[in-house]
């Protein structure tokens, strides 16, 4: 018998040895034992657990609260860091603290507005109780103090921080991710080169006079492109003003294609910035032409690759993302930013990136499947985006890019390849007309021309393969 149940029965029988109760009932040792959950016999039929609907009774909301009044402030001699990991929930909880009452009310109001689940509500309430039970008007909550304690208890840090920020008592003391990344990229460079590259990277991120801030991805690409060359130059030079045009030409001779153009774009930007701030005397990249970006011939996807991607999309969200990329040629950013208001099922209209297009029957079925799943899975979410997951359902922002890319990770038919293949298919089916492609997909004129030229080359190659004898026919003076 279960030792817990045997100990309970022996105690209820007046202190008999453990296991003796079952022997007395049967008169002999049992050859078998009926298993059951521990202490099931102790539960009374009329206990609250057996009352129907007791879990559905809503818990009363916390009373409305506001920021506590500060009549006078006792200044502190020094600030001592607090260790929330040593908080004892059985002895140190102070539910009468006005700061905690205010935080619980703000958490309840935010949870109602964002559609937080029951587990998230309890986790936020417990985390706020740990952090604010002994809070005063002079206390500041730092991220470095909160994160270890809440992560050790598996409590949500992000939602708790949202409430603390709304209260105005939170300070995020984490170093910026860009600073940590840039520090790692600058390691090993000469001091003079390091100063110029750091000033250039920060100007690209924050902007400068006559320089607009760039996308963070563009900064990553440009710094990473230049880093190997800058490390080699740091072994010989102490400053970028010592780099000559011959040094730059030696680097460019070893690069081809888009590697050469990408390096030259980053180098021109760096040296032009240094020349503007007068840290170098002359720009060695001046007069070097980048040239036109070499585009290769895009081929159609194999049907087997498309079938494998279709089989990998097993969830309603994955099927919707796959359909938007393969049928409507939507980019990942456009899919992430789609709102519920962009879907008009009544009029069979779908707006993607500001362009409204009709909804076919296949798209209509996929949308209905996803909307039904979304309504069942997150009935109370306040997120206005069409595609959400378990994290973004608690907020109002779009889902992460990783959420979309991981669905087809390892497949030949990625979302980008499916989008390109759809546009190429349109060009092959309706003729290589740039105006048609621009009208259907909203492409830039140069992009539409490039797709049309690519389709024209594929059609010419297919015609030659069908009639190989035509290539060997002699041509007259005035043509074929």
């Amino acid at each position: 018998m279960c030792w817990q149940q045997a100990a309970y029965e022996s105690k209820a029988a007046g202190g008999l040895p453990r296991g003796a109760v079952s022997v007395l009932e049967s008169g002999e040792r049992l050859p078998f034992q009926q298993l059951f959950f521990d202490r099931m016999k102790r539960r009374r039929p009329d206990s609250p657990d057996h009352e129907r609907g007791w879990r559905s009774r809503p818990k009363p909301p916390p009373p409305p609260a506001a920021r506590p009044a500060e009549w006078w402030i006792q200044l502190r001699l020094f600030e001592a860091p607090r260790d929330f990991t040593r908080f004892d929930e059985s002895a140190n909880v102070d539910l009468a603290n006005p700061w905690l009452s205010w935080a619980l009310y703000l958490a309840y109001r935010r949870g109602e507005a964002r559609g937080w689940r029951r587990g998230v509500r309890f986790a936020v309430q417990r985390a706020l109780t740990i952090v604010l039970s002994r809070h005063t008007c002079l206390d500041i909550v730092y991220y470095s103090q909160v994160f270890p304690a809440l992560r050790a208890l598996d409590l949500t840090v992000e939602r708790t921080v949202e409430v603390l920020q709304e209260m105005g008592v939170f300070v995020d003391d984490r170093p910026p991710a860009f600073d940590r990344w840039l520090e790692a990229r600058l390691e090993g460079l000469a001091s003079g080169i390091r100063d110029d590259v750091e000033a250039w990277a920060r100007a690209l991120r924050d902007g400068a006079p006559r320089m607009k801030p760039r996308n963070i991805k563009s900064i990553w690409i440009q710094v990473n492109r230049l880093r190997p060359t800058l490390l080699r130059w740091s072994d010989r030079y102490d400053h970028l003003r010592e780099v000559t045009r011959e040094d730059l030409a030696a680097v460019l001779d070893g690069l081809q294609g888009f590697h050469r153009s990408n390096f030259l774009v980053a180098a021109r930007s760096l040296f032009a910035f240094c020349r503007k701030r007068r840290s170098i005397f002359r720009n060695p990249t001046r007069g070097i032409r980048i040239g036109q970006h070499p585009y290769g011939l895009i081929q159609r996807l194999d049907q087997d690759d498309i079938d494998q991607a279709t089989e990998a999309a097993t969830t309603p969200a994955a099927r919707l993302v796959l359909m938007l990329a393969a049928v409507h040629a939507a980019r990942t950013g456009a899919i992430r930013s789609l709102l519920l208001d962009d879907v008009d099922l009544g009029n069979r209209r779908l707006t993607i990136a500001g362009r409204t297009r009709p909804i076919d029957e296949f798209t209509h079925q996929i949308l209905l499947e996803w909307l039904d799943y979304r309504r069942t899975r997150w009935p109370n979410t306040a997120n206005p985006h069409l595609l959400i997951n378990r994290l973004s359902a608690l907020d109002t922002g779009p889902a992460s890019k990783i959420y979309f890319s991981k669905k087809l990770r390892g497949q030949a038919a990625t979302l980008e390849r499916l989008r390109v293949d759809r546009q190429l298919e349109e060009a092959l089916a309706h003729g290589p007309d740039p105006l048609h492609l621009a009208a259907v997909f909203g492409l830039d004129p140069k992009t539409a021309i490039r797709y049309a030229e690519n389709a024209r080359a594929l059609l010419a190659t297919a015609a030659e393969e069908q009639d190989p004898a035509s290539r060997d026919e002699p041509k007259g003076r005035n043509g074929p």
Side-chain angles (χ1 to χ4, degrees):
M1 178 182 288
C2 171
W3 283 16
Q4 293 289 337
Q5 182 67 24
Y8 167 71
E9 292 186 355
S10 64
K11 182 178 180 180
L16 293 178
R18 186 172 56 190
V21 178
S22 300
V23 175
L24 293 177
E25 290 179 352
S26 60
E28 57 184 3
R29 186 173 298 276
L30 297 177
F32 60 89
Q33 180 64 44
Q34 175 64 45
L35 299 180
F36 48 83
F37 287 105
D38 176 28
R39 305 186 187 183
M40 183 181 292
K41 297 181 179 180
R42 296 181 58 186
R43 187 165 296 174
R44 301 187 306 274
D46 56 346
S47 63
D49 292 353
H50 294 271
E51 295 180 6
R52 293 187 177 181
W54 72 277
R55 289 184 181 273
S56 61
R57 293 198 300 268
K59 186 178 180 181
R67 184 182 183 89
E70 302 173 3
W71 300 105
W72 57 275
I73 298 176
Q74 177 62 48
L75 300 180
R76 294 177 179 176
L77 182 61
F78 60 89
E79 289 289 340
R82 292 181 294 175
D83 186 6
F84 293 107
T85 58
R86 304 177 62 182
F87 184 84
D88 187 3
E89 297 184 62
S90 61
N92 299 333
V93 173
D94 184 12
L95 298 178
N97 191 312
W99 292 92
L100 178 57
S101 301
W102 182 35
L104 294 178
Y105 173 70
L106 293 179
Y108 169 78
R109 189 175 63 178
R110 179 174 288 270
E112 287 292 321
R114 302 293 175 84
W116 288 355
R117 301 188 305 272
R118 183 185 181 90
V120 177
R121 293 173 183 267
F122 287 166
V124 173
Q125 292 175 8
R126 185 184 178 189
L128 292 175
T129 303
I130 294 174
V131 175
L132 299 178
S133 283
R134 296 190 174 183
H135 189 85
T136 62
C137 60
L138 292 178
D139 291 335
I140 299 296
V141 181
Y142 295 93
Y143 187 91
S144 58
Q145 300 173 358
V146 172
F147 181 82
L150 301 188
R151 186 59 68 188
L153 298 175
D154 197 19
L155 300 178
T156 172
V157 181
E158 293 78 7
R159 310 308 161 201
T160 306
V161 166
E162 291 178 6
V163 179
L164 296 175
Q165 288 177 336
E166 186 176 358
M167 297 175 64
V169 299
F170 178 78
V171 172
D172 191 353
D173 55 348
R174 293 176 296 177
F178 179 81
D179 293 345
R180 289 187 278 110
W181 171 83
L182 185 59
E183 185 69 21
R185 295 291 89 188
L186 296 177
E187 185 178 358
L189 300 182
S191 59
I193 299 177
R194 178 192 178 100
D195 294 341
D196 286 339
V197 175
E198 182 178 3
W200 168 65
R202 294 188 181 279
L204 290 179
R205 185 195 64 170
D206 303 329
R210 304 184 67 180
M211 178 185 293
K212 295 182 179 179
R214 305 296 178 85
N215 190 301
I216 189 66
K217 288 186 177 181
S218 177
I219 305 175
W220 293 345
I221 293 174
Q222 294 192 39
V223 174
N224 290 331
R225 290 290 183 188
L226 294 178
R227 175 174 165 78
T229 303
L230 294 175
L231 288 175
R232 292 195 297 268
W233 286 346
S234 298
D235 296 336
R236 295 180 294 168
Y237 305 134
D238 296 329
H239 203 280
L240 286 178
R241 66 170 63 99
E242 303 177 51
V243 177
T244 62
R245 195 178 184 87
E246 289 73 18
D247 296 328
L248 193 63
V251 176
L252 293 176
D253 291 341
L255 300 176
Q256 295 180 356
F258 69 92
H259 294 288
R260 181 182 185 278
S261 60
N262 290 343
F263 173 83
L264 190 53
V265 167
R268 290 180 63 177
S269 176
L270 173 62
F271 283 104
F273 174 80
C274 295
R275 182 68 180 87
K276 185 184 297 183
R277 69 193 299 252
R278 300 180 184 277
S279 60
I280 62 175
F281 300 112
R282 60 187 298 272
N283 186 354
T285 64
R286 186 179 180 87
I288 301 180
R289 298 180 62 85
I290 297 178
Q292 188 175 1
H293 183 78
Y295 291 103
L297 187 65
I298 305 174
Q299 299 291 338
R300 291 291 310 279
L301 281 173
D302 294 336
Q303 187 61 37
D304 295 338
D305 297 335
I306 299 177
D307 294 340
Q308 291 179 4
T310 305
E311 294 176 0
T314 56
T315 62
R319 285 191 287 271
L320 177 59
V321 172
L322 183 68
M323 180 272 299
L324 291 173
V327 177
H328 298 276
R331 296 181 180 271
T332 304
I335 298 175
R336 292 180 63 231
S337 59
L338 273 176
L339 303 177
L340 290 173
D341 295 339
D342 295 331
V343 180
D344 188 358
L345 295 178
N347 296 321
R348 295 293 185 98
R349 294 290 179 181
L350 177 64
T351 303
I352 301 178
R355 181 174 292 272
T356 303
R357 60 191 68 197
I359 297 179
D360 58 288
E361 185 61 30
F362 177 70
T363 304
H364 188 260
Q365 294 178 2
I366 297 296
L367 283 172
L368 287 179
E369 180 187 8
W370 163 250
L371 291 175
D372 182 67
Y373 175 81
R374 185 184 190 275
R375 181 171 55 253
T376 305
R377 181 67 174 82
W378 301 286
N380 299 322
T381 181
N383 196 314
H385 290 83
L386 176 63
L387 277 159
I388 59 176
N389 55 14
R390 63 182 184 87
L391 296 178
S392 63
L394 305 178
D395 208 339
T396 57
S400 63
K401 296 181 180 179
I402 301 178
Y403 172 72
F404 294 94
S405 60
K406 71 178 181 180
K407 302 295 182 181
L408 299 177
R409 184 173 298 172
Q411 301 289 335
T414 60
L415 293 181
E416 182 64 19
R417 289 289 289 117
L418 289 171
R419 182 188 68 84
V420 171
D421 186 75
R422 173 66 183 92
Q423 296 174 160
L424 191 58
E425 177 194 13
E426 186 72 18
L428 293 173
H430 294 271
D433 185 5
L435 295 178
H436 176 75
L437 295 177
V440 173
F441 301 109
L443 298 178
D444 182 80
K446 293 183 179 180
T447 306
I449 293 174
R450 183 162 57 90
Y451 274 105
E453 292 177 351
N454 194 110
R456 189 177 294 107
L458 291 179
L459 290 174
T461 304
E464 292 178 359
E465 292 177 355
Q466 292 178 0
D467 189 10
S470 63
R471 293 176 296 179
D472 301 330
E473 293 180 357
K475 299 182 180 179
R477 180 176 300 180
N478 296 329

